[in-house]
Amino acid sequence: MAMISYLKSCLIAAIWFVFLTFPLMVVKVNTLKNTVEWRWMNMLWVAIGAFILSAVWRWAMERRARGASQKEQESSDSDKKPSLGERLLEDPKLYRPLLGLVVALALLMPWVSEMYQVTIWVFALIYVVLGLGLNITVGLAGLLDLGYVAFFGVGAYTYAILNTRFGLDFWICLPIGGLTGALVGVLLGFPILRLRGDYLAIVTLGFGSIAKIVYENWEGVFNGARGIEKIARPGFFGMEMDISAATTFTYYLMLVMVVFTIFVTNRLKDSRIGRAWMALREDEIACVAMGVDMARTKLGAYALGAFWAGLVGVIFASQTTYINPASFDFMLSAIVLSMVVLGGMGSIVGVVIAALVLNLLPEYLRAFEDYRMLVFGAVMVLMMLFRPQGLVSNVRKTYTHSKKVHAEEANG
Amino acid sequence: MAENTQKLLEVRELTMDFGGLRAVDSITLEVCTGEIVALIGPNGAGKTTFFNCVTGIYKPTRGEILVHPPEQKTYKINGFKPNRVTAMGLARTFQNIRLFQNMTVLENVMIGRHCRTTTNILGAILRGKNTNRQERETIERSYELLEKVGLVHFADEFAKNLPYGAQRRLEIARAMATDPFLLLLDEPAAGMNPQETKDLDELIVRIKDTENISILLIEHDMKLVMNISERIYVMEYGKKIAHGSPQEIRSNPKVIEAYLGEGGDDA
Amino acid sequence: MDYFLELFLSGLTRGSIYALIALGYTMVYGIIQLINFAHGEIYMIGAFVALVVSGVLTIYGFSGVSILILAALIAIIYSAAYGYTLEKIAYRPLRGAPRLSPLISAIGMSLFLQNYVLLAQTADFLPFPELVPEFEFMEPIAHIMGSAELIILITSAITMIGLTLLIKYTRIGKAMRATQQDMVMARLTGINVDRVISVTFIIGSVLAAIAGVLVGSYIGQINYFIGFMAGVKAFTAAVLGGIGNIPGAALGGLVLGLAEAMAAGYISSAYEDVFAFGVLVLILILRPSGLLGKAVKQKV
């Protein structure tokens, strides 16, 4: 009986979605030639898809509701068995060989694959760093930044202009790009610190969009919509490199950047600064009442996130050798945000995995490519609904203390 | 008041308006060293608003808030940001518990050490000698405080998983981590059972005696207030209606009327 | 003078469109404090459905006004259905979640709906059929104001008056106001809060669909991405007027539309969008409560 009503409600959902999608999925008009195309097959697909998805949806929702009530019943000190994912991250016997394997593969990759593959991975790694950078602002400090792309653009344009107009070298521009990003972050961040979370998100969206419009229209400095071309690739002690060698070089550079970012984020996470960021995310008022300087702490998170974006912006410009405003629109901010959301806010491993998966999947599954943004959108919604902590939840560090160690020895 | 006591907090004619509503009306109040002072009154009397003004969360409309930190000059802290007030030596807890839910109990206390430590972003990345020493001190001190409030066994638990009474005690430990000379407790016994209230009672007195911290508390639990406080201020409709020792307050007709609520002006 | 009048009227026209969309933002924010990021997409879907319907009807030989009315009706029905479904799937399960969760969910929904229309239809701009007839009596002032503009002004005025009456005098309007004041209390007095929220989304979507149809026939072309900019601008209008405040949204829309038209006409049209964003940023920084909103102190 329950089964029948279950199926019935799935059927109703299917009919509802057939109705909803009818004018857009089935009908396609050409208003110039005055022709209509009726795609009846789509209707069938929608019906089947909606039926199955609604069954899955109901099951997931029930599970979610059960999970919530179970959590309340369970006492706080229950001994849960760690899942495989957690064990992989925590048990040195498991994660050390795995890490070794990953490092070895990453180092060998350019030698066993074509340049095209290496290029794809360079961009994927750029996204990893962007994700980790945004993770500081959004994940750790809880400041939802929808204009993150602006800082990426600042870095890219800084290098493009300094290089093509003033002939400055990549290596000089790399730190300059990062610092310019951070500086712009501070300048923009300063007036908006007092804003509540959702307003902050919208204002940063505004900043991001303004930045793009300025790139497009300020011909004198940014060369408008035509963009800037002939940007130099990175050099290495004056060595001449062809495109393929330069790409391989950039690939290794990005690997170093990723390691560097992880190192920095990891150290910050469990420090005085990182704790203040998290406290700010949890409860702003309690945080300032405990003596944390909100303005300084927020600016730090904002600027540091912007710093990484500026840094990889420089590398992005040097890799593509040509940039134009179209590369820096809201979609990029949205993509990076969905990586942070999927990976788990504040979780380093999660964000790295999510950034790689979300970038490489569409590259290797070509059929999937068109659906990329659709999936990114769906990922954000589904993660918020079913796993707000992300794929890999952020594990808090436990601290040891001299007395605690003694006590345990006495007990054990 | 003993003769060798010194004023720590001196509030003069503090007034706070919200639009047309006067939530706090010309309140004058003092707390001296080694004292437990209570601020009582019916719901909506303006006690928490008073706290928010003193701790910098609201900017008072009128009046003066003077702080005399021991062995320092006097500061007028009207309009100071909350973090500056805390850095000065006033720490508070919240009526509707405001812990950092998704951080561990120990980390919650460690946040309290924030304003007494100096590691910046660069220091945190490099982890120099200074940083490591500060970090160790922070951990040691936080553990100590957890011991004092009896929460060491919860140290690595998320704050949200603590039982209610323990959360209240954690708030006190967190506030104490900021090294205050005056602790402002906003209804610390709310929602506690009699046994927990009794423990809290002892904890507060112990903090005063052993840590040399004075206490200003808002409380509804009359037994607790009468037991531990030296002086009591009573507020109603934003105004101070009485002030005195527990004995005086108990027999004050105005206070009785305010609490029993009969014949009070409804306007 | 004619140039000024032309700018003024075009500003007014734009402004009333912004106002129609802004109402949806403001009503939702007033009740559940959520920036419904996907609201611009509902407007875009309304415009698209109207385009598809009018295209089909034209081919099957319907004419003029009957197409306009049918297309508008169907667009309204569909937008309402999308708005209702959106709330039910992406927002309702997140009630009580941390504040940023529904916002992120909304951003995700916005991306999803944009790309859904992109994939189901096309990425190109589609020409929108001219649904509004040229009125003869408008001939003498045609150089200042077109028939479409007149229709937009009249329709939005009627719609907004209707909304005001609905909220003031009907049962559901009263329930909406009660829920906005205090959701818990409203629930205790027996108001079905879930239903009120659904209705709020539906009403907002209907207004957005009307805006979509009007804009389609005014601008003459649409694509899957028009919801983004319109959404941002309408949100700006809502904030300008004081978010949560219904007359404020209407006022904010008109002010923004006029200011934009003047800026584009007298300064430069390249920075037209910067102008809207600039207003948004400045208002949020300097006066987050907007023109008509009341400053709210956060309770501690």
Side-chain angles (χ1 to χ4, degrees):
Chain A
M1 198 57 211
M3 192 66 193
I4 290 173
S5 77
Y6 194 87
L7 288 179
K8 205 173 129 198
S9 51
C10 291
L11 196 67
I12 292 171
I15 292 169
W16 177 249
F17 278 96
V18 165
F19 162 72
L20 270 188
T21 54
F22 179 75
L24 296 172
M25 292 285 286
V26 178
V27 191
K28 190 167 182 177
V29 285
N30 188 324
T31 37
L32 287 179
K33 291 186 199 146
N34 273 347
T35 52
V36 196
E37 190 188 333
W38 300 91
R39 301 168 294 179
W40 295 108
M41 276 313 276
N42 280 350
M43 192 186 229
L44 185 67
W45 296 132
V46 168
I48 296 170
F51 186 83
I52 296 170
L53 283 178
S54 105
V56 175
W57 176 267
R58 256 154 226 287
W59 170 79
M61 274 301 180
E62 268 165 31
R63 218 176 135 232
R64 180 175 183 259
R66 261 208 316 276
S69 64
Q70 236 166 36
K71 223 180 233 166
E72 272 164 29
Q73 285 168 11
E74 235 171 61
S75 65
S76 52
D77 49 4
S78 63
D79 292 290
K80 275 181 296 175
K81 271 226 174 104
S83 65
L84 180 70
E86 278 167 34
R87 264 172 53 214
L88 270 180
L89 291 176
E90 278 164 17
D91 190 348
K93 269 188 216 137
L94 285 173
Y95 79 72
R96 284 214 182 114
L98 192 73
L99 195 67
L101 189 71
V102 168
V103 170
L105 280 179
L107 288 176
L108 280 177
M109 211 282 289
W111 305 104
V112 294
S113 50
E114 299 154 41
M115 190 187 108
Y116 170 71
Q117 302 287 329
V118 183
T119 314
I120 291 175
W121 275 84
V122 168
F123 286 117
L125 292 177
I126 284 177
Y127 274 103
V128 170
V129 174
L130 284 176
L132 287 169
L134 187 64
N135 188 32
I136 294 175
T137 320
V138 179
L140 292 179
L143 306 169
L144 185 53
D145 184 351
L146 297 181
Y148 193 58
V149 65
F151 308 122
F152 185 58
V154 165
Y157 270 102
T158 302
Y159 177 54
I161 290 168
L162 290 180
N163 181 265
T164 55
R165 303 252 171 90
F166 305 98
L168 284 184
D169 182 51
F170 172 81
W171 293 103
I172 300 170
C173 292
L174 187 61
I176 294 180
L179 292 175
T180 315
L183 183 73
V184 175
V186 171
L187 289 180
L188 296 186
F190 198 72
I192 59 174
L193 292 169
R194 290 173 302 128
L195 295 178
R196 256 199 340 247
D198 44 2
Y199 278 9
L200 185 105
I202 295 296
V203 171
T204 52
L205 170 73
F207 281 152
S209 310
I210 290 175
K212 191 188 163 211
I213 300 169
V214 171
Y215 297 147
E216 270 169 358
N217 291 298
W218 198 350
E219 300 272 339
V221 179
F222 302 108
N223 210 21
R226 272 164 296 148
I228 301 179
E229 53 180 7
K230 294 195 182 118
I231 306 165
R233 293 176 194 282
F236 190 58
F237 294 115
M239 239 163 65
E240 281 291 313
M241 284 190 280
D242 59 1
I243 296 183
S244 148
T247 305
T248 309
F249 180 70
T250 311
Y251 171 79
Y252 282 117
L253 179 66
M254 278 315 302
L255 274 189
V256 174
M257 291 295 300
V258 169
V259 173
F260 180 46
T261 319
I262 292 176
F263 171 79
V264 168
T265 319
N266 203 25
R267 284 224 153 164
L268 281 171
K269 219 172 99 169
D270 298 311
S271 72
R272 170 178 181 265
I273 303 292
R275 284 192 299 268
W277 284 339
M278 273 178 281
L280 209 57
R281 178 189 72 190
E282 294 291 312
D283 188 329
E284 215 163 85
I285 287 175
C287 189
V288 289
M290 288 309 121
V292 176
D293 186 338
M294 183 177 81
R296 195 187 289 189
T297 310
K298 276 191 180 174
L299 272 185
Y302 210 65
L304 201 68
F307 174 78
W308 296 116
L311 216 56
V312 287
V314 173
I315 300 178
F316 173 77
S318 79
Q319 169 66 24
T320 54
T321 70
Y322 165 72
I323 55 168
N324 70 351
S327 313
F328 307 105
D329 71 348
F330 170 69
M331 284 309 136
L332 193 99
S333 297
I335 293 172
V336 179
L337 178 65
S338 67
M339 288 168 189
V340 176
V341 169
L342 178 65
M345 303 224 195
S347 157
I348 295 172
V349 186
V351 171
V352 173
I353 295 174
L356 288 177
V357 168
L358 285 184
N359 262 291
L360 296 175
L361 218 57
E363 294 293 345
Y364 289 114
L365 297 173
R366 277 286 157 192
F368 177 77
E369 201 193 2
D370 288 342
Y371 298 91
R372 198 176 134 118
M373 293 309 292
L374 189 81
V375 171
F376 283 177
V379 157
M380 285 205 235
V381 178
L382 294 176
M383 291 306 285
M384 283 300 118
L385 290 179
F386 298 111
R387 214 176 147 78
Q389 74 275 34
L391 288 181
V392 182
S393 52
N394 182 18
V395 185
R396 288 310 304 148
K397 185 180 164 142
T398 54
Y399 298 85
T400 48
H401 170 258
S402 47
K403 282 183 192 164
K404 188 186 171 196
V405 175
H406 290 310
E408 272 168 9
E409 275 167 5
N411 287 339
Chain B
M1 268 178 272
E3 275 134 43
N4 60 349
T5 55
Q6 184 216 331
K7 282 179 196 167
L8 291 175
L9 173 71
E10 196 179 352
V11 179
R12 290 186 193 150
E13 298 189 350
L14 186 84
T15 299
M16 179 77 210
D17 292 342
F18 292 111
L21 180 82
R22 181 151 292 183
V24 175
D25 190 354
S26 196
I27 297 283
T28 298
L29 175 152
E30 286 169 16
V31 184
C32 301
T33 46
E35 264 194 320
I36 297 180
V37 177
L39 181 60
I40 64 171
N43 282 329
K47 296 165 303 204
T48 297
T49 307
F50 177 82
F51 258 36
N52 286 339
C53 288
V54 171
T55 52
I57 287 171
Y58 295 159
K59 197 174 171 211
T61 317
R62 261 202 317 280
E64 280 187 326
I65 307 165
L66 301 173
V67 174
H68 315 277
E71 288 143 41
Q72 274 183 54
K73 67 182 176 82
T74 300
Y75 293 91
K76 185 179 162 197
I77 61 164
N78 295 38
F80 272 31
K81 283 192 179 143
N83 54 301
R84 274 191 75 194
V85 176
T86 307
M88 197 143 272
L90 269 63
R92 70 172 291 176
T93 65
F94 293 90
Q95 179 182 359
N96 46 344
I97 306 180
R98 301 188 83 124
L99 290 167
F100 307 120
Q101 303 279 348
N102 291 307
M103 296 171 75
T104 65
V105 167
L106 184 70
E107 282 177 320
N108 266 274
V109 184
M110 287 167 85
I111 288 291
R113 297 301 299 159
H114 187 92
C115 59
R116 304 293 171 215
T117 45
T118 54
T119 306
N120 58 16
I121 291 186
L122 208 61
I125 296 170
L126 299 175
R127 278 205 193 151
K129 232 189 206 162
N130 230 347
T131 308
N132 280 332
R133 186 178 45 75
Q134 278 189 1
E135 190 73 6
R136 249 194 337 272
E137 278 170 10
T138 301
I139 296 168
E140 300 279 323
R141 177 97 174 90
S142 305
Y143 261 105
E144 254 171 55
L145 285 166
L146 284 183
E147 270 175 349
K148 278 181 186 146
V149 299
L151 291 174
V152 170
H153 55 293
F154 283 131
D156 296 332
E157 199 63 56
F158 279 119
K160 63 180 172 195
N161 295 339
L162 288 193
Y164 194 75
Q167 294 201 359
R168 290 230 175 260
R169 275 180 290 149
L170 176 56
E171 272 219 332
I172 295 176
R174 185 178 68 174
M176 282 168 68
T178 64
D179 288 342
F181 56 80
L182 177 63
L183 203 52
L184 296 97
L185 306 177
D186 196 346
E187 295 197 24
M192 283 187 169
N193 63 35
Q195 181 57 42
E196 285 173 323
T197 309
K198 199 168 148 276
D199 293 344
L200 181 78
D201 184 332
E202 285 163 18
L203 177 66
I204 294 174
V205 173
R206 203 164 60 231
I207 290 171
K208 186 200 79 173
D209 292 339
T210 60
E211 307 286 317
N212 208 7
I213 298 175
S214 305
I215 285 154
L216 174 62
L217 83 159
I218 295 175
E219 192 43 76
H220 274 302
D221 189 311
M222 274 307 143
K223 213 170 134 231
L224 180 93
V225 170
M226 295 296 169
N227 269 347
I228 63 174
S229 33
E230 269 116 280
R231 290 185 296 121
I232 298 174
Y233 290 85
V234 189
M235 278 177 81
E236 192 192 17
Y237 298 121
K239 291 195 178 69
K240 182 165 81 179
I241 57 168
H243 167 216
S245 68
Q247 287 76 17
E248 289 164 351
I249 293 299
R250 199 170 293 165
S251 51
N252 186 318
K254 267 189 183 168
V255 178
I256 294 168
E257 191 185 330
Y259 268 84
L260 297 178
E262 290 296 69
D265 49 357
D266 285 349
Chain C
M1 193 59 209
D2 266 10
Y3 185 56
F4 174 81
L5 252 179
E6 192 190 329
L7 288 180
F8 182 81
L9 285 170
S10 103
L12 216 56
T13 313
R14 264 183 219 226
S16 42
I17 299 285
Y18 294 158
L20 282 179
I21 311 175
L23 286 165
Y25 278 109
T26 240
M27 286 194 298
V28 167
Y29 196 94
I31 288 190
I32 55 174
Q33 282 78 50
L34 165 74
I35 299 174
N36 180 11
F37 208 85
H39 188 58
E41 268 50 71
I42 299 293
Y43 148 87
M44 178 269 292
I45 285 174
F48 247 102
V49 170
L51 178 119
V52 168
V53 171
S54 54
V56 172
L57 292 181
T58 312
I59 291 163
Y60 286 94
F62 285 72
S63 66
V65 183
S66 61
I67 296 185
L68 177 65
I69 292 170
L70 272 174
L73 267 180
I74 297 176
I76 286 170
I77 291 170
Y78 267 98
S79 279
Y82 271 95
Y84 168 80
T85 313
L86 168 75
E87 191 270 331
K88 207 166 174 194
I89 290 180
Y91 307 147
R92 187 174 297 180
L94 287 173
R95 235 163 266 160
R99 212 182 153 91
L100 287 184
S101 299
L103 181 59
I104 292 174
S105 180
I107 294 169
M109 259 313 181
S110 163
L111 285 181
F112 183 87
L113 289 174
Q114 267 174 29
N115 286 278
Y116 152 68
V117 173
L118 164 74
L119 292 167
Q121 294 284 317
T122 170
D124 305 326
F125 269 99
L126 291 175
F128 203 92
E130 265 182 47
L131 297 177
V132 181
E134 289 293 331
F135 299 122
E136 269 173 41
F137 64 86
M138 293 289 291
E139 207 89 341
I141 53 164
H143 60 293
I144 305 174
M145 184 185 196
S147 304
E149 282 172 320
L150 182 73
I151 291 282
I152 290 180
L153 289 176
I154 293 174
T155 315
S156 16
I158 293 174
T159 312
M160 280 183 245
I161 292 169
L163 178 70
T164 313
L165 294 178
L166 178 99
I167 286 176
K168 245 192 167 139
Y169 297 113
T170 60
R171 250 175 85 85
I172 187 73
K174 282 178 192 156
M176 281 167 74
R177 279 183 288 148
T179 312
Q180 173 160 10
Q181 292 281 321
D182 188 335
M183 196 188 281
V184 177
M185 210 45 218
R187 189 170 276 143
L188 288 177
T189 53
I191 293 173
N192 183 345
V193 171
D194 280 342
R195 210 177 126 244
V196 169
I197 293 171
S198 284
V199 170
T200 308
F201 271 86
I202 289 173
I203 295 176
S205 305
V206 166
L207 299 178
I210 294 174
V213 177
L214 293 175
V215 163
S217 39
Y218 178 50
I219 309 273
Q221 57 173 8
I222 58 169
N223 82 341
Y224 73 99
F225 201 62
I226 56 166
F228 179 75
M229 228 28 232
V232 169
K233 288 189 179 169
F235 180 75
T236 306
V239 171
L240 188 63
I243 195 144
N245 185 315
I246 289 175
L251 178 69
L254 292 180
V255 170
L256 182 70
L258 282 174
E260 231 183 58
M262 294 300 159
Y266 289 113
I267 306 169
S268 152
S269 61
Y271 285 97
E272 191 185 304
D273 292 343
V274 171
F275 185 77
F277 282 116
V279 169
L280 174 65
V281 170
L282 284 179
I283 278 284
L284 281 180
I285 292 168
L286 300 177
R287 194 180 154 79
S289 52
L291 296 174
L292 299 185
K294 272 185 258 151
V296 186
K297 267 245 157 53
Q298 199 178 354
K299 197 141 166 57
V300 179

